[in-house]
C-alpha cells in the first residue's frame, strides 16, 4: 500500500506535464524491478496480457483508474485494457532493463476503438456495485455466527445468514461450508419464492428471483473451508403463506442442497 501511495504522489507531481503532450503508446517497456503505472481517463473494467511473462494488476473489486505493469526478461507480448466507458486499448509490452518512464496517462486518443456494451438490467452495471463495495464487504465480515436457516447434506452445509433490505433491493448473505473430504465446485444457486404446498398443487407456485449481482461468488470451495457471498436481489416481501427456497447444485457432480426459510 505504501508503494501505491508513493506512485500516486509522484503522478500528482508530474501532472504539470500535460497528457496531450504524450506520444502515442505503441510500446511500453517494463521489468520486474519496477512498477509501470498506467492511468486511464475512465476506471478499468477488464485487462489481460498475452502471456504470463507480463503481469498487469488492478483492483477487480472496486473500480479504479490505474493499474501496475511488470514484465520478466525476454518478454514480448501485448496488454489489452477495456475501461468502463467502453474504450479499448492495446499496447505492445517488451522487457527493458532500464526504464526511461514508469508512468503514463492514457486518454481516449490512445484508444483503438469502442466496445459496444451488452444490454443489462437497470442498476446492474459493475460501477454501481463497486460503489457499494463497503456495504457488501461489511455484510460478509460482520454477520456473526448466527443463521436464519441451515441445511446439511453429505458434509456440505448451506446457511442463509442474513436478509438486508436497502431501497429496491435485498442483500442475501449466504455461506457454504465443506467438510465432505471432497472439493465442492459451485454450480448454480437458485433463489425461489414459494407460495403454497406441493400437497395442494392447484395453489402451488414457484417464482424464481433473478439476482442482479453476486458478490464474492466462489468457483470452488475446498474441503475444510467455508465461503460466504452475497446475492443482490430485487426487493421482495414474503407473505405469511410464502417461504424462500435456496437450491445449491454442484457444477461437476450430483450433490444438491435445498434450504427452506
Amino acid at each position: 500500500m505504501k508503494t501505491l501511495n508513493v506512485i500516486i504522489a509522484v503522478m500528482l507531481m508530474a501532472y504539470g506535464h500535460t497528457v496531450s503532450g504524450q506520444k502515442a503508446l505503441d510500446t511500453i517497456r517494463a521489468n520486474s524491478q519496477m512498477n509501470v503505472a498506467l492511468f486511464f481517463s475512465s476506471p478499468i473494467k477488464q485487462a489481460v496480457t498475452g502471456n504470463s511473462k507480463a503481469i498487469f494488476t488492478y483492483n477487480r473489486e472496486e473500480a479504479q483508474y490505474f493499474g501496475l505493469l511488470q514484465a520478466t526478461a525476454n518478454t514480448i507480448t501485448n496488454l489489452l485494457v477495456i475501461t468502463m466507458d467502453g474504450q479499448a486499448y492495446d499496447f505492445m509490452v517488451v522487457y527493458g532493463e532500464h526504464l526511461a518512464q514508469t508512468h503514463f496517462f492514457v486518454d481516449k486518443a490512445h484508444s483503438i476503438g469502442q466496445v459496444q456494451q451488452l444490454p443489462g438490467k437497470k442498476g446492474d452495471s459493475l460501477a454501481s456495485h463497486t460503489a457499494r463495495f463497503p456495504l457488501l464487504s461489511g455484510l460478509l465480515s460482520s454477520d456473526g455466527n448466527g443463521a436464519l436457516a441451515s441445511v446439511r447434506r453429505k458434509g456440505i452445509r448451506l446457511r442463509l445468514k442474513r436478509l438486508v433490505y436497502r431501497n429496491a433491493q435485498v442483500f442475501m448473505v449466504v455461506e457454504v461450508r465443506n467438510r465432505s473430504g471432497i472439493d465442492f465446485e459451485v454450480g448454480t444457486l437458485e433463489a425461489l419464492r414459494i407460495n403454497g404446498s406441493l400437497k395442494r398443487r392447484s395453489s402451488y407456485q414457484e417464482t424464481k428471483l433473478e439476482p442482479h449481482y453476486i458478490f464474492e461468488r466462489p468457483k470452488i470451495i475446498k474441503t475444510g473451508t467455508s465461503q460466504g457471498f452475497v446475492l443482490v436481489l430485487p426487493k421482495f416481501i414474503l407473505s405469511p403463506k410464502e417461504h424462500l427456497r435456496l437450491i445449491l447444485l454442484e457444477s461437476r457432480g450430483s450433490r444438491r442442497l435445498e434450504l427452506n426459510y
Side-chain angles (χ1 to χ4, degrees), residues 93-206:
V93 179
V94 299
Y95 178 81
E97 186 174 352
H98 302 290
L99 305 182
Q101 188 170 353
T102 59
H103 63 275
F104 298 91
F105 287 94
V106 185
D107 61 16
K108 289 184 180 180
H110 301 118
S111 171
I112 60 173
Q114 176 125 19
V115 179
Q116 186 173 357
Q117 302 295 308
L118 291 173
K121 297 178 181 179
K122 184 177 180 181
D124 195 28
S125 67
L126 178 61
S128 68
H129 293 298
T130 53
R132 290 178 296 182
F133 178 79
L135 168 63
L136 293 168
S137 59
L139 288 173
L140 289 180
S141 62
S142 63
D143 59 351
N145 296 317
L148 299 175
S150 178
V151 64
R152 293 179 178 84
R153 187 170 185 268
K154 296 182 178 180
I156 306 294
R157 185 184 70 184
L158 172 64
R159 294 206 296 175
L160 172 62
K161 304 195 76 174
R162 295 180 71 186
L163 290 174
V164 178
Y165 289 81
R166 290 290 178 91
N167 299 322
Q169 292 180 316
V170 179
F171 298 84
M172 182 185 296
V173 183
V174 178
E175 182 189 71
V176 180
R177 186 182 70 185
N178 183 4
R179 291 185 177 177
S180 67
I182 304 172
D183 293 346
F184 186 90
E185 295 184 58
V186 178
T188 60
L189 176 63
E190 292 187 350
L192 303 171
R193 185 175 180 174
I194 308 296
N195 191 326
S197 171
L198 280 173
K199 295 180 181 179
R200 300 179 61 183
R201 291 185 178 273
S202 60
S203 61
Y204 181 81
Q205 184 178 9
E206 290 184 358

Side-chain angles (χ1 to χ4, degrees), residues 27-36 53 69-76 92-102:
T27 301
I28 301 175
R29 294 184 177 274
N31 59 37
S32 58
Q33 285 75 46
M34 303 184 73
N35 285 311
V36 175
K53 289 188 175 182
L69 176 66
Q70 288 191 323
T72 58
N74 302 317
T75 296
I76 300 178
M92 287 296 297
V93 179
V94 299
Y95 178 81
E97 186 174 352
H98 302 290
L99 305 182
Q101 188 170 353
T102 59

Side-chain angles (χ1 to χ4, degrees), residues 39-102:
F39 288 79
F40 293 84
S41 58
S42 177
I44 298 170
K45 182 178 181 180
Q46 290 176 285
V48 62
T49 56
N51 60 49
S52 59
K53 289 188 175 182
I55 300 174
F56 186 72
T57 57
Y58 64 99
N59 195 327
R60 289 173 168 79
E61 300 294 345
E62 185 171 3
Q64 290 186 346
Y65 289 83
F66 71 98
L68 302 176
L69 176 66
Q70 288 191 323
T72 58
N74 302 317
T75 296
I76 300 178
T77 187
N78 72 316
L79 167 65
L80 176 65
V81 178
I82 299 175
T83 51
M84 291 290 191
D85 59 0
Q87 297 295 327
Y89 302 86
D90 190 19
F91 314 110
M92 287 296 297
V93 179
V94 299
Y95 178 81
E97 186 174 352
H98 302 290
L99 305 182
Q101 188 170 353
T102 59

